[in-house]
Amino acid sequence: MPLGEVKRGMKCEARSVIQGVDISTFEAEVVDIVSGDTAADSPRILFRFSGPAVDRTGVGPGFSGSPIYCDGRNAGAISESVGEYGGSLALATPIEAILGQPVEPPTGTRPASQTPARAARRLSAPLSMGGLSPRVASVFTRAAAKAKRVLYAAPGRPVASTFPFQQLRPGSAMAAGYASGDITAGAVGTVAYVDDRKVWAFGHPLDSAGRRSLFLQDAYVYTIVNNPVAVEGASTYKLAVPGHNVGILSGDGLSAVAGTLGILPARFPLKVTATDQDTGRTRVITTEIADENALDLPTGTSSLSFVGAGAVAQAAATILGGGAPARQTGEMCARIQFRERKAPLRFCNRYVTRSGASEDG
């Protein structure tokens, strides 16, 4: 539906996953059309949401990309919060702006910055890491907070062993994935539009980095965590975990992320083996990390920096957690293979810790 046909007072329907993988619907009423603060800002549609699916929690991070249908046509997708208590009021990106995001932007391009309407805050797709124990996860959530990023530690893959591959369609839970395997990492949101094998989601940027090469994944939603105050880092959000690799996420623009089903991105393996030298007990963690080196690392860093740290920390914590005495030492050895070099690089370091001495011990 073109933005010019969206009118104040229209009764519409929004679609999103509230629990598991099934798409739920809820009511959306057009409050008004909101123009940007500057000529460069694209308009947004202000909606008020209601219905059993969202009356208790409102909408928050993870709902971004949830499509809204007016008169049976897709008018846009939830994208920004306005900070109202209860989360029933939010902005949506018009569908024409979302579909203006190329699935494969030219390499090396990066969108100019854009400021949404005054007082609006992007419903950033929450960055979720799965496979970490609560104690290890707490270290990463604190580190993310210092970097002004919100990170949710998901419980891991659902016991429903694991949920089957999902066909992505408007309203499906999805993730822009950095890693896949025993340790998962990705930004979870919602599919806004599908055209054959092409998929658009979020209704806002991931990093606004232009051309990307990440996993396009389905996702599983455990529940909606209810926090009605709607302040940064403490709002209602979807507790969800990235799932199966179903395609490549290749476009990261101002109004959406986009990708293609059936094609996987370049990736490299990471294997961490932890061994208790007293008992011989081992813990092996394997994961695959999206490789954006061919794009010259659009965000300036590799996902290995935090996914690798998480895998090593989790493997070590599992082994050290059952050990004694409280004061322990360990040795970490790394073997890194480069495409351009036949022999791998190897190094070892010894570490000492006092278990329980402090939160950072």
Side-chain angles (χ1 to χ4, degrees):
M1 174 177 280
L3 180 61
E5 296 184 25
V6 178
K7 305 299 180 185
R8 185 185 307 172
M10 289 182 90
K11 304 296 185 182
C12 308
E13 178 187 88
R15 302 177 185 177
S16 200
V17 175
I18 305 301
Q19 198 279 324
V21 295
D22 294 331
I23 297 172
S24 298
T25 62
F26 47 97
E27 297 171 8
E29 180 181 352
V30 177
V31 177
D32 215 334
I33 308 299
V34 181
S35 62
D37 289 339
T38 69
D41 294 342
S42 59
R44 295 290 189 266
I45 309 169
L46 184 63
F47 282 96
R48 185 172 297 281
F49 302 99
S50 61
V54 295
D55 280 345
R56 185 181 69 88
T57 64
V59 301
F63 281 86
S64 56
S66 299
I68 303 170
Y69 290 82
C70 303
D71 293 338
R73 290 183 291 164
N74 191 324
I78 297 173
S79 57
E80 282 119 22
S81 165
V82 295
E84 183 191 54
Y85 180 86
S88 63
L89 195 66
L91 294 168
T93 301
I95 191 62
E96 53 210 272
I98 291 173
L99 297 182
Q101 167 58 42
V103 173
E104 294 185 2
T107 304
T109 59
R110 185 185 182 94
S113 62
Q114 181 187 47
T115 305
R118 188 180 302 276
R121 186 175 64 250
R122 199 169 80 201
L123 287 176
S124 299
L127 180 59
S128 297
M129 288 191 74
L132 302 182
S133 64
R135 187 172 178 85
V136 173
S138 68
V139 177
F140 282 81
T141 54
R142 290 199 306 272
K146 291 179 181 178
K148 301 188 184 326
R149 291 292 301 268
V150 177
L151 185 148
Y152 299 126
R157 291 184 180 272
V159 175
S161 196
T162 69
F163 67 101
F165 276 83
Q166 297 299 301
Q167 178 182 353
L168 294 187
R169 50 200 177 99
S172 295
M174 53 74 65
Y178 302 102
S180 173
D182 293 334
I183 302 293
T184 62
V188 177
T190 304
V191 175
Y193 196 89
V194 176
D195 180 7
D196 192 20
R197 294 170 56 208
K198 297 178 180 178
V199 176
W200 288 263
F202 287 8
H204 58 63
L206 175 61
D207 297 300
S208 192
R211 186 72 176 267
R212 304 301 300 268
S213 183
L214 301 176
F215 294 107
L216 176 59
Q217 300 169 314
D218 58 16
Y220 185 92
V221 178
Y222 285 100
T223 189
I224 309 300
V225 177
N226 184 22
N227 195 332
V229 295
V231 297
E232 189 71 35
S235 66
T236 288
Y237 69 92
K238 288 187 180 183
L239 183 62
V241 64
H244 311 95
N245 303 327
V246 296
I248 180 173
L249 190 135
S250 50
D252 178 11
L254 292 175
S255 297
V257 296
T260 304
L261 297 170
I263 305 171
L264 294 185
R267 56 208 181 274
F268 57 86
L270 171 70
K271 180 178 180 180
V272 178
T273 303
T275 304
D276 184 333
Q277 293 185 332
D278 292 327
T279 66
R281 185 168 62 102
T282 63
R283 170 77 159 98
V284 179
I285 291 178
T286 59
T287 191
E288 285 190 320
I289 299 175
D291 184 0
E292 296 192 289
N293 281 286
L295 301 179
D296 206 18
L297 299 179
T299 61
T301 185
S302 168
S303 305
L304 176 65
S305 59
F306 67 94
V307 176
V312 171
Q314 184 57 49
T318 302
I319 292 299
L320 293 175
R327 295 174 183 269
Q328 302 177 65
T329 66
E331 187 177 59
M332 184 186 76
C333 296
R335 175 184 181 274
I336 305 172
Q337 182 71 53
F338 291 90
R339 291 193 185 98
E340 299 87 353
R341 193 174 189 270
K342 287 185 177 181
L345 299 185
R346 303 172 185 267
F347 65 86
C348 292
N349 284 332
R350 180 165 292 278
Y351 298 86
V352 182
T353 184
R354 290 183 297 158
S355 179
S358 70
E359 279 297 310
D360 296 320

